[in-house]
Amino acid sequence: MASEAAPLLPVAGDPSKHACKTTTAATATANEPETDEATSPSPIRQALGGILKGLESFLDWLPFIVAQSLSSSHPPATALGAGTLSAALVLLYAFGKASLEGTPKHRPKVLDIGQLLLFGTLYAIAVLLGGRRAALLVLWFNPLTTGGMAAIMWTSAAHGRPFVYDYAEAQMPPAVWTRLSTKEWFLRKLDEAAVFWVQTMVAMTAIVCVQPALVCIFYRGDVGADATGRMAALGNWLAASQYVILSYAIFSNAWEQGQSGRIKRRVQEMKRNGLSREQQKLHGDAPPELSILDEADAANIRHIRSLKADGELDLAGQMLADAFKNDGIFRDFLKTEEARTIFFCASLKAFACFNHVFACFDHEPSEEKPPCVMACIPVLSKTKEEISVFNAYEAWTEHGFAIPGATATDFPIPDDDLVELGELKHRSKHGLTKKPYIYIAYFGSDSAHRGKGYGKHLLKYIIRMSESKIIPLVLETTNAFNIAQYEKYGFRIVDRVKGKPEWVLMVRSFGQSSSGEVV
């Protein structure tokens, strides 16, 4: 037993997002002395590298953009021929770059091959149809090209390797991709991105199919037969709507990619300014220190207080590192005591601003490690930023988290079970995404003080607090003994990790009865 009152895994608000910071995390945690001024890239080279990446992103869509741009002013065969040529040039560029970089067994991107086949096929059809018979192709040009792109994306997903895998693989070292591609949580994130883009292209296709369909029904496929010009105007409006959808998709994608930067800025703002007036009103002041008469020893008084200063949080972090030293899952994730200590110290500092990192002492708090610590996060705001921002990887790094000895390819990656455990509380069926609660993130006792009732006092303390606020308590745990102990205090299992019956999410609703047995 790693702690007196059931050790909890250090699972963040959304661990899949935090763990996705692959190359970023590795770079931030790698030993700095390994790079020097002579070997690090200059600002000019860094800028050029960024420009090159931007151009390569543009090349991914070049055939589609070229064909669409020429379709309004040139015959279909010309526009489609230009799209086919563009697709061929994109493939040649990719092969040439791979050859110069010495990449073995270069595999072209699914989207690049798909566009070459799509525009090449449509070009051949346009040539075969010829002049008048190509009028129908002109009418359906936009739906065919846009729908073709959607079909390419969907086909890649249906065959088990969505097109987004190519882009993810290209953005990280091969060794990192090899490790991450074995994790279901990582591939699930890429699959979700692929579905998003397929849905976007399908929506764009549906929009631009409306005008050609109406023209075929009422004007036998001849838009010129509409003397009012409404069909032509409708086509222009729908084409513009198509690009509104595309712009929204690009913006959403960019917004998602910018999430890490926004979290960092929010954490830095909190470090500079502390809680805002609205947050102070929501969270209140730090709970006053509480003195409790020990039931087992009437002469012994226990003290519970909220930890806030960096020094006392460092001591609490050291204690938690000791409490979790025998936890197999945690030990496998951060393999050294130094790494675990750095993690806990940084993590506690990240959310200590909410005044819910509690410690229990035998005497007046001193400059010694506390015997027992319960680190909680009061998730009270509508945005749930207390857990999505201040229990995020970026928040930890802003408070000093770095993995000793990590390199660009060798750094901890959580297993699928650990990620799923952290995601349980975000499932809509539990209702926790729409109501406030107190999340018990870490709860442990120093190895020299277990079995002395410190955990019991802290657990009863946080239960009374949740009852006074009329909000539930939430925690995760991973063994049967811990589950039984928490059930004595009114916690109930509401979800569990698939295939891991003892890896559970537990909730104690306010007003829930409990036996109050000593943990």
Side-chain angles (χ1 to χ4, degrees):
M1 186 175 180
S3 71
E4 179 176 5
L8 303 181
L9 291 171
V11 180
D14 187 349
S16 59
K17 287 185 179 179
H18 310 325
C20 266
K21 319 297 182 186
T22 50
T23 53
T24 303
T27 303
T29 55
N31 292 330
E32 292 183 5
E34 293 179 1
T35 60
D36 55 35
E37 192 174 335
T39 58
S40 60
S42 67
I44 295 178
R45 291 192 64 182
Q46 289 179 342
L48 290 175
I51 293 172
L52 181 60
K53 284 187 177 181
L55 290 175
E56 289 179 346
S57 298
F58 174 76
L59 285 178
D60 294 330
W61 291 87
L62 182 62
F64 179 74
I65 293 172
V66 167
Q68 289 279 15
S69 301
L70 296 178
S71 63
S72 59
S73 56
H74 293 76
T78 302
L80 292 168
T84 304
L85 180 61
S86 299
L89 291 175
V90 169
L91 279 171
L92 286 175
Y93 169 81
F95 277 109
K97 181 183 176 184
S99 178
L100 290 174
E101 293 177 347
T103 304
K105 298 181 180 179
H106 170 69
R107 178 173 53 198
K109 294 178 181 177
V110 171
L111 202 58
D112 292 344
I113 294 179
Q115 288 189 94
L116 179 63
L117 294 174
L118 169 67
F119 292 110
T121 302
L122 291 177
Y123 171 70
I125 293 173
V127 171
L128 291 173
L129 288 177
R132 289 186 178 181
R133 288 180 297 176
L136 201 59
L137 184 59
V138 173
L139 181 64
W140 287 92
F141 186 92
N142 202 342
L144 285 173
T145 53
T146 308
M149 292 289 289
I152 294 169
M153 295 176 178
W154 178 85
T155 301
S156 69
H159 283 79
R161 186 181 169 84
F163 67 99
V164 295
Y165 285 23
D166 297 329
Y167 299 95
E169 184 176 3
Q171 292 175 7
M172 61 185 68
V176 175
W177 170 258
T178 299
R179 295 179 64 201
L180 281 172
S181 60
T182 64
K183 306 298 182 182
E184 290 184 9
W185 61 262
F186 177 72
L187 297 181
R188 186 168 62 249
K189 290 293 179 183
L190 296 183
D191 292 343
E192 290 171 0
V195 169
F196 171 78
W197 280 106
V198 170
Q199 291 174 338
T200 297
M201 298 306 293
V202 168
M204 291 170 61
T205 303
I207 285 289
V208 294
C209 278
V210 173
Q211 186 250 17
L214 292 175
V215 170
C216 288
I217 293 172
F218 296 107
Y219 300 100
R220 296 186 179 181
D222 183 7
V223 71
D226 175 25
T228 65
R230 291 175 181 172
M231 287 294 106
L234 178 63
N236 294 332
W237 278 104
L238 293 176
S241 300
Q242 175 189 37
Y243 287 101
V244 169
I245 295 174
L246 181 60
S247 298
Y248 169 76
I250 293 172
F251 172 79
S252 298
N253 189 59
W255 180 263
E256 179 68 22
Q257 292 181 358
Q259 175 71 2
S260 179
R262 290 193 299 277
I263 290 176
K264 288 181 180 180
R265 290 190 293 273
R266 181 69 184 96
V267 172
Q268 292 166 357
E269 178 187 5
M270 180 69 80
K271 290 176 69 176
R272 288 193 307 268
N273 306 324
L275 295 175
S276 66
R277 288 185 179 180
E278 291 184 358
Q279 288 173 321
Q280 290 175 358
K281 184 177 179 180
L282 180 64
H283 291 279
D285 297 326
E289 182 175 332
L290 180 67
S291 296
I292 303 173
L293 189 66
D294 192 345
E295 297 172 1
D297 183 0
N300 190 13
I301 298 177
R302 298 281 168 83
H303 302 271
I304 296 176
R305 60 168 292 190
S306 170
L307 307 181
K308 194 71 178 288
D310 283 356
E312 57 189 12
L313 291 170
D314 284 334
L315 291 171
Q318 293 169 23
M319 191 283 298
L320 286 173
D322 173 75
F324 285 89
K325 65 183 179 183
N326 294 321
D327 187 283
I329 302 167
F330 193 18
R331 189 176 59 246
D332 291 341
F333 184 57
L334 295 173
K335 298 182 182 299
T336 67
E337 183 179 354
E338 180 184 10
R340 292 190 289 273
T341 300
I342 293 172
F343 168 79
F344 276 116
C345 291
S347 181
L348 294 181
K349 291 174 184 176
F351 55 77
C353 54
F354 299 110
N355 304 314
H356 274 59
V357 178
F358 301 110
C360 185
F361 300 87
D362 288 309
H363 45 72
E364 293 295 330
S366 63
E367 294 184 1
E368 298 178 358
K369 290 190 295 184
C372 188
V373 169
M374 175 182 282
C376 303
I377 305 176
V379 187
L380 308 180
S381 66
K382 292 182 179 179
T383 61
K384 309 300 180 190
E385 73 164 2
E386 296 93 345
I387 199 165
S388 64
V389 172
F390 296 97
N391 198 31
Y393 170 81
E394 294 85 355
W396 305 338
T397 57
E398 286 294 321
H399 287 84
F401 176 56
I403 302 172
T407 68
T409 57
D410 184 14
F411 53 91
I413 297 177
D415 289 330
D416 294 316
D417 294 334
L418 182 58
V419 172
E420 185 180 353
L421 181 66
E423 291 176 340
L424 294 180
K425 58 184 168 291
H426 300 291
R427 293 177 177 175
S428 58
K429 65 180 181 179
H430 306 310
L432 296 175
T433 58
K434 296 181 179 179
K435 64 183 179 183
Y437 61 93
I438 296 176
Y439 173 53
I440 303 177
Y442 318 118
F443 184 15
S445 290
D446 183 83
S447 56
H449 293 87
R450 290 179 191 148
K452 297 181 180 180
Y454 295 98
K456 175 189 68 174
H457 289 303
L458 279 174
L459 195 54
K460 287 186 174 182
Y461 176 75
I462 199 65
I463 287 174
R464 287 195 296 270
M465 182 179 292
S466 73
E467 291 286 339
S468 67
K469 295 178 180 290
I470 318 180
I471 58 177
L473 291 170
V474 177
L475 59 83
E476 300 112 346
T477 191
T478 58
N479 65 69
F481 180 81
N482 293 348
I483 293 171
Q485 298 302 310
Y486 282 121
E487 286 179 337
K488 293 178 182 179
Y489 286 85
F491 286 85
R492 297 292 179 263
I493 296 172
V494 297
D495 207 348
R496 50 173 39 93
V497 173
K498 184 178 181 181
K500 297 276 188 176
E502 296 178 352
W503 289 37
V504 299
L505 175 69
M506 304 187 75
V507 174
R508 185 189 189 279
S509 302
F510 58 90
Q512 185 71 48
S513 61
S514 60
S515 67
E517 296 292 333
V518 176
V519 177

